[in-house]
Amino acid sequence: MLFFTQCFGAVLDLIHLRFQHYKAKRVFSAAGQLVCVVNPTHSLKYAPTLCATAQASTEQGILPPCHHHEVVHDPQLVPCTCPLFSCPWEGHLEVVVSHLRQTHRINILQGAEIVFLATDMHLPAPTDWIIMHSCLGHQFLLVLRKQEKYEGHPQFFATMMLIGTPSQANNFTYRLELNRNQRRLKWEATPRSILECVDSVFSDGDCLVLNTSLAQLFSDNGSLAIGIVITTSKVHSSEAEM
Amino acid sequence: MLFFTQCFGAVLDLIHLRFQHYKAKRVFSAAGQLVCVVNPTHSLKYAPTLCATAQASTEQGILPPCHHHEVVHDPQLVPCTCPLFSCPWEGHLEVVVSHLRQTHRINILQGAEIVFLATDMHLPAPTDWIIMHSCLGHQFLLVLRKQEKYEGHPQFFATMMLIGTPSQANNFTYRLELNRNQRRLKWEATPRSILECVDSVFSDGDCLVLNTSLAQLFSDNGSLAIGIVITTSKVHSSEAEM
């Protein structure tokens, strides 16, 4: 009986996921857009770490943000850039993607235009939704974070980081777009390099910021669809003068 | 000597204003866009009112938000919609514009695309920047407000209201655009009717919301240029399905 109940639950979950996927596809109806359902992960970075490779640092207790930058001795090596875990890994920039995929199980998607469908937006902060995005010959990391900057008032922060150097990042522009209920919000910027700290991007607020009520207006049944477009930068004459 | 000092100050102010105007024109370089320099006004709505026509209500002390909706008895009459002052005026919808111009000295601008250049963004909250905007045969009220929703953390809220009924408002779409420092933020929505309360739009957060750091990134020398476009609504197939 328990087996049948569980099976029924799993089938219902699948139908729900399929339905969300279908709705997001209709919302972002442009041809060729890939919809990716992204489940939340409770951030463990500032809690005792569960990362298999991070046991060595647990004795130090709660670590300060971006602590890993201090332990890099070889300038050729970069620290682990996973926003979720305090991980002592370090390696060459070229192998960061495979580390994030294999150790932290972050999915990677192909395509210049994708739809990031973050589920379970109601979950309490701190919560992260993360995917990697491969296009234009580079890999990007998209991070959506629910965080309480002001106690009792969670906000959502979203940014895109290039898995590359800051000078490489300057060659691209990313756009995040929300579109629902006759409202549209677009954020366009140059991606930051993964060598910068995602935490400081969010604490500076130099990213797409949504308060809870706006996030609810853009959400459908607890899921938030974010359209993502990455292009190579064009220097607009109007912007160049600013 | 004092006269010359004051004259010199006035000339300097004019040069500064002209310079800001010129910069905003270059930023929003599309032909035919009108740049309007909007000075801040410290909101007196919840302080003892200074409005010439509002002396009758001063005895009641600080009034609750949107209190004026309660005193309308004739359904043909609408209350004063000025976001700055608690004003006991009421009249027909057709004469709201002339009341706002004459009594509250709110400027009115013509043109489908304008640039709203809000000066002195550093002033403490609560501060409002307001203009009326005439286009497509209707008048709109643009309100930018600096407000502390969370103590010690001022935010900026911007919205556009139609000086008309909610059903008339549904025929339009407005867009607010910020563009500077290789960042672009666009908010697009249906304007609310002036018969709804601007305070509740801001408290719901159903508008363009900027935290202080983002406002600084988009500001130039303490002024924030907001590009405004109003169009008649088109029901997008993707949105209609949502």
Side-chain angles (χ1 to χ4, degrees):
Chain A
M1 182 62 195
L2 187 68
F3 174 74
F4 285 110
T5 314
Q6 283 192 343
C7 276
F8 185 66
V11 168
L12 271 186
D13 282 354
L14 273 172
I15 291 169
H16 179 68
L17 224 83
R18 184 75 209 145
F19 181 69
Q20 281 186 323
H21 182 273
Y22 176 71
K23 282 205 90 170
K25 253 200 156 146
R26 289 180 78 181
V27 171
F28 292 87
S29 57
Q33 272 190 328
L34 185 74
V35 176
C36 172
V37 177
V38 185
N39 294 312
T41 313
H42 189 75
S43 181
L44 296 166
K45 198 163 187 177
Y46 309 118
T49 177
L50 289 184
C51 175
T53 53
Q55 284 164 355
S57 42
T58 49
E59 283 173 8
Q60 298 165 29
I62 294 168
L63 297 162
C66 306
H67 67 284
H68 40 52
H69 288 288
E70 293 158 22
V71 295
V72 178
H73 303 299
D74 183 344
Q76 296 288 309
L77 299 179
V78 298
C80 170
T81 54
C82 178
L84 296 171
F85 304 101
S86 291
C87 166
W89 180 91
E90 57 180 39
H92 287 271
L93 198 53
E94 295 74 26
V95 288
V96 167
V97 173
S98 62
H99 169 73
L100 291 176
R101 286 186 79 169
Q102 286 159 18
T103 309
H104 303 297
R105 305 189 178 260
I106 297 175
N107 284 331
I108 191 159
L109 286 165
Q110 305 281 335
E113 295 192 20
I114 61 167
V115 178
F116 178 99
L117 186 69
T119 64
D120 303 310
M121 297 289 287
H122 63 278
L123 287 181
T127 299
D128 282 8
W129 291 257
I130 297 175
I131 52 160
M132 278 188 290
H133 180 187
S134 173
C135 76
L136 302 169
H138 283 81
Q139 278 78 38
F140 300 84
L141 190 72
L142 179 79
V143 186
L144 170 68
R145 178 170 295 172
K146 187 175 185 177
Q147 194 175 337
E148 281 190 18
K149 250 187 173 177
Y150 317 120
E151 216 186 310
H153 300 281
Q155 287 178 294
F156 293 88
F157 303 87
T159 193
M160 198 132 215
M161 320 276 289
L162 176 79
I163 301 175
T165 63
S167 63
Q168 285 175 319
N170 281 335
N171 297 325
F172 298 96
T173 298
Y174 74 97
R175 194 174 75 211
L176 306 179
E177 183 176 340
L178 304 169
N179 183 1
R180 211 180 111 79
N181 273 329
Q182 293 174 298
R183 286 158 185 86
R184 203 187 290 251
L185 185 64
K186 284 186 197 179
W187 166 257
E188 206 176 289
T190 303
R192 298 289 191 95
S193 159
I194 201 83
L195 301 177
E196 299 177 68
C197 185
V198 72
D199 299 322
S200 66
V201 175
F202 291 151
S203 63
D204 292 349
D206 185 12
C207 56
L208 177 68
V209 186
L210 284 179
N211 55 36
T212 315
S213 55
L214 213 50
Q216 274 170 350
L217 275 168
F218 282 114
S219 294
D220 181 22
N221 215 0
S223 295
L224 185 74
I226 307 177
I228 304 168
V229 181
I230 300 179
T231 51
T232 48
S233 294
K234 291 167 218 154
V235 180
H236 302 289
S237 59
S238 58
E239 281 188 30
E241 285 165 352
M242 281 185 284
Chain B
M1 184 63 198
L2 187 69
F3 174 75
F4 284 110
T5 316
Q6 283 194 345
C7 274
F8 185 65
V11 168
L12 270 185
D13 282 354
L14 273 171
I15 291 169
H16 179 66
L17 224 84
R18 185 73 208 147
F19 182 68
Q20 281 186 324
H21 181 274
Y22 176 70
K23 281 205 89 169
K25 250 196 158 150
R26 287 179 79 180
V27 171
F28 292 86
S29 57
Q33 271 189 330
L34 184 73
V35 177
C36 172
V37 177
V38 185
N39 293 312
T41 313
H42 189 74
S43 180
L44 296 165
K45 199 166 186 176
Y46 309 117
T49 177
L50 289 183
C51 175
T53 54
Q55 284 165 354
S57 45
T58 49
E59 283 174 7
Q60 297 164 27
I62 294 166
L63 297 161
C66 305
H67 68 285
H68 40 52
H69 287 290
E70 293 158 22
V71 294
V72 178
H73 303 298
D74 184 343
Q76 296 287 309
L77 300 180
V78 298
C80 171
T81 54
C82 178
L84 295 172
F85 303 102
S86 292
C87 167
W89 180 91
E90 58 180 39
H92 288 270
L93 197 55
E94 295 75 25
V95 288
V96 167
V97 173
S98 62
H99 169 73
L100 292 176
R101 287 188 77 170
Q102 287 159 17
T103 309
H104 302 298
R105 305 191 179 258
I106 298 174
N107 283 332
I108 191 160
L109 286 165
Q110 304 281 335
E113 296 192 20
I114 61 167
V115 177
F116 178 100
L117 186 70
T119 63
D120 303 309
M121 298 289 287
H122 63 277
L123 287 181
T127 299
D128 283 6
W129 292 257
I130 298 175
I131 52 158
M132 280 188 289
H133 180 186
S134 173
C135 76
L136 303 169
H138 284 81
Q139 278 78 37
F140 300 83
L141 190 71
L142 180 78
V143 186
L144 169 69
R145 178 170 294 172
K146 187 174 186 177
Q147 195 175 335
E148 281 190 22
K149 249 188 176 177
Y150 316 119
E151 215 185 309
H153 301 281
Q155 288 177 293
F156 293 89
F157 303 87
T159 193
M160 199 131 214
M161 320 276 289
L162 175 79
I163 302 175
T165 63
S167 64
Q168 285 175 319
N170 282 335
N171 297 325
F172 297 97
T173 298
Y174 73 98
R175 193 174 74 211
L176 306 179
E177 183 176 341
L178 304 169
N179 182 3
R180 213 181 111 78
N181 274 329
Q182 293 174 299
R183 288 158 184 84
R184 202 187 291 251
L185 185 64
K186 283 186 198 179
W187 165 257
E188 205 176 289
T190 303
R192 298 289 191 96
S193 159
I194 200 82
L195 302 177
E196 299 176 67
C197 185
V198 72
D199 299 322
S200 66
V201 173
F202 291 150
S203 62
D204 292 350
D206 184 12
C207 55
L208 177 69
V209 185
L210 285 179
N211 54 37
T212 315
S213 55
L214 213 50
Q216 273 171 351
L217 275 167
F218 283 114
S219 294
D220 180 22
N221 214 359
S223 295
L224 185 74
I226 307 177
I228 304 168
V229 181
I230 300 179
T231 51
T232 47
S233 293
K234 290 168 220 153
V235 180
H236 301 290
S237 59
S238 58
E239 281 189 30
E241 283 164 354
M242 283 185 281

